[in-house]
């Protein structure tokens, strides 16, 4: 594993094992396997003028129960992370970034790019540890790669007392029933919430993400952003997805059933030593053999899992398996039984 490698590199995996791309069972990528119903004729979409984001912002604001003035759009959550850390890097003479780890590795990569000194807090063992005074705090909730949802109200009080600017990443919150930190944006002026629209709505190739914060913070952030950064195609797709009133119910029912089945598979396998409780659409496990060795056993079945050895505070015996449809999970079960 390279230092900042992610899951979901299906093309290279297929090439490595000499398989067709469509035959790969990708359990390394945490994209929803249920798709929304899209009612858009993309062939007739008006693209001879610059895009207008008014409707897109309105439907996102309604979805997350915030005002339109509390939202800044980005070309995916990864661009939101980059822009936000770039902006916050200008606000501190001594640039320290405190990451509650393990965490989505893009935060660490981008923070290093903008010259931050990285301090890690092991949220498994030392959640109550105080961050450095005035640091930029990053907290992913539900967490990656283990999917735990935290009540962060006590932590917000701690961060405020330490004069921190705080980024809470809620890209997987739609998969669980946890409360959003958006309720605190008016009482904590240095709070920024990152949301991805592509993981829950099963469209990684559609690049739409948002930052939610108080009105003044959003206005300041938008001053350094380009006028047009999301295509009309991306916008139309997300607007249609958010208008699918049946999607939440369909997604929840299918994900709950598949997650129960995946949990059963992992519990039944003699190579699985520990299963981490998860409220998201993936499960972190510690196994008896190294992840790269397990992956070699899975290759004949054309299955990818996420080797978690490059996450801070994890090692080569940790894997993340995404919740997918029953057919794919049955193949995974068969593969584990054959080890």
């Amino acid at each position: 594993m390279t230092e900042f490698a992610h899951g979901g590199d299906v093309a290279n995996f297929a090439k490595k094992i000499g398989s067709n791309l469509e035959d790969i069972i990708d359990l390394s990528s945490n994209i929803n396997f249920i798709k929304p119903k899209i009612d858009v004729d993309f062939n007739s979409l008006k693209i001879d003028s610059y895009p207008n984001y008014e409707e897109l912002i309105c439907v996102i604001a309604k979805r997350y129960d915030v005002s339109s003035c509390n939202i800044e759009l980005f070309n995916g959550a990864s661009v939101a992370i980059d822009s936000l850390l770039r902006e916050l890097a200008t606000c501190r003479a001594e640039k320290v970034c405190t990451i509650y780890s393990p965490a989505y590795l893009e935060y660490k990569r981008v923070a290093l790019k903008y010259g931050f000194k990285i301090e890690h807090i092991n949220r498994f063992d030392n959640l109550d540890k105080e961050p450095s005074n005035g640091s930029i705090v990053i907290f992913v909730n539900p967490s990656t790669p283990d999917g735990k949802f935290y009540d962060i109200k006590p932590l917000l009080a701690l961060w405020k007392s330490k004069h921190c600017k705080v980024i809470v990443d809620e890209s997987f919150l739609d998969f669980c029933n946890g409360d959003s930190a958006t309720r605190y944006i008016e009482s904590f002026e240095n709070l920024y919430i990152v949301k991805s629209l592509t993981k829950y709505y099963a469209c990684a190739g559609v690049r739409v993400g948002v930052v939610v914060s108080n009105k003044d913070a959003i206005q300041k952030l938008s001053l350094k952003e380009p006028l047009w950064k999301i295509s009309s195609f991306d916008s139309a797709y997300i607007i249609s997805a958010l208008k699918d009133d049946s999607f939440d119910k369909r997604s929840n029912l299918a994900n709950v059933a598949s997650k129960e089945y995946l949990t059963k598979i992992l519990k039944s396998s003699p190579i699985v030593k520990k299963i981490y409780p998860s409220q998201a659409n993936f499960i972190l496990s510690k196994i008896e053999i190294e992840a790269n060795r397990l992956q070699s056993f899975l290759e004949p079945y054309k299955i990818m899992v996420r080797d978690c050895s490059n996450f801070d505070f994890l090692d080569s015996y940790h894997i993340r398996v995404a919740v997918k449809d029953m057919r794919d999970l049955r193949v995974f079960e068969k593969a584990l039984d054959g080890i």
Side-chain angles (χ1 to χ4, degrees):
M1 287 290 289
T2 59
E3 185 177 6
F4 299 113
H6 300 287
D9 189 2
V10 184
N12 278 331
F13 180 72
K15 184 178 179 181
K16 175 187 175 185
I17 67 172
S19 173
N20 294 323
L21 195 62
E22 58 271 18
D23 294 331
I24 302 300
I25 298 175
D26 185 9
L27 303 183
S28 73
S29 174
N30 42 28
I31 303 298
N32 198 349
F33 69 95
I34 301 298
K35 296 183 183 296
K37 297 173 183 175
I38 304 301
D39 184 19
V40 180
D41 182 359
F42 288 99
N43 287 317
S44 63
L45 196 65
K46 183 175 175 58
I47 57 173
D48 58 351
S49 59
Y50 293 109
N52 181 295
Y53 302 130
E54 184 176 348
E55 184 180 6
L56 176 61
I57 291 173
C58 283
V59 296
I60 293 174
K62 180 180 179 181
R63 168 70 186 181
Y64 295 123
D65 195 24
V66 296
S67 298
S68 295
C69 64
N70 296 128
I71 288 176
E72 178 65 18
L73 295 170
F74 291 90
N75 185 228
S78 59
V79 176
I81 292 167
D82 192 284
S83 296
L84 194 49
L85 284 174
R86 182 187 64 214
E87 171 62 22
L88 295 178
T90 67
C91 303
R92 290 288 188 270
E94 183 180 353
K95 297 189 293 185
V96 178
C97 188
T98 303
I99 305 178
Y100 284 73
S101 301
Y104 180 42
L105 289 166
E106 194 68 2
Y107 283 102
K108 182 179 178 181
R109 186 191 71 80
V110 175
L112 290 171
K113 183 176 81 169
Y114 289 120
F116 283 96
K117 175 187 175 184
I118 305 294
E119 294 181 352
H120 293 284
I121 290 179
N122 186 336
R123 55 182 173 77
F124 292 145
D125 301 330
N126 206 6
L127 184 64
D128 296 329
K129 180 181 178 181
E130 293 188 357
S132 294
N133 194 65
S135 65
I136 307 298
V137 164
I138 293 169
F139 197 94
V140 181
N141 198 33
S143 55
T144 52
D146 52 297
K148 181 176 180 178
F149 176 78
Y150 293 82
D151 175 8
I152 64 169
K153 189 174 182 179
L155 288 169
L156 284 169
L158 170 63
W159 298 332
K160 185 180 284 189
S161 73
K162 299 295 289 185
H163 308 289
C164 296
K165 292 184 180 290
V166 177
I167 300 172
V168 177
D169 189 318
E170 294 183 344
S171 292
F172 295 96
L173 187 64
D174 288 317
F175 289 100
C176 74
N177 296 319
D179 293 329
S180 173
T182 54
R183 65 182 60 198
Y184 303 114
I185 57 175
E186 299 303 333
S187 59
F188 192 166
E189 64 177 357
N190 292 317
L191 175 63
Y192 303 84
I193 294 129
V194 173
K195 290 181 176 287
S196 168
L197 273 297
T198 60
K199 299 203 170 43
Y200 182 65
Y201 290 100
C203 53
V206 174
R207 306 305 303 149
V208 180
V210 298
V211 169
V212 180
S213 191
N214 63 78
K215 182 179 178 180
D216 291 340
I218 291 298
Q219 286 180 340
K220 185 176 181 182
L221 192 60
S222 66
L223 288 175
K224 297 182 180 179
E225 290 298 308
L227 290 175
W228 302 288
K229 49 188 175 179
I230 296 170
S231 77
S232 296
F233 294 100
D234 293 331
S235 182
Y237 190 99
I238 293 298
I239 289 170
S240 185
L242 288 172
K243 289 181 178 179
D244 180 0
D245 294 331
S246 68
F247 180 67
D248 285 336
K249 183 177 181 179
R250 289 188 291 109
S251 175
N252 182 62
L253 287 172
N255 273 279
V256 167
S258 283
K259 190 174 181 181
E260 288 177 354
Y261 184 42
L262 175 58
T263 302
K264 173 180 170 290
I265 292 170
L266 294 170
K267 284 183 176 179
S268 301
S269 174
I271 72 163
V272 177
K273 293 176 63 178
K274 177 180 179 178
I275 299 172
Y276 291 71
S278 170
Q279 284 77 54
N281 64 325
F282 47 84
I283 297 175
L284 177 70
S285 299
K286 187 168 186 178
I287 58 177
E288 294 279 2
I289 61 177
E290 289 191 303
N292 59 359
R293 188 173 175 215
L294 172 63
Q295 184 59 76
S296 68
F297 284 127
L298 297 177
E299 285 180 3
Y301 299 90
K302 302 177 182 179
I303 294 173
M304 289 176 64
V305 294
R306 175 64 158 97
D307 178 346
C308 292
S309 58
N310 62 343
F311 282 94
D312 295 288
F313 304 118
L314 297 180
D315 59 26
S316 60
Y317 292 88
H318 286 87
I319 61 166
R320 186 190 70 198
V321 183
V323 174
K324 299 294 181 181
D325 65 48
M326 294 291 192
R327 180 185 59 187
D328 289 345
L329 294 181
R330 289 189 189 99
V331 179
F332 179 58
E333 182 178 31
K334 180 180 178 182
L336 286 186
D337 289 342
I339 296 177

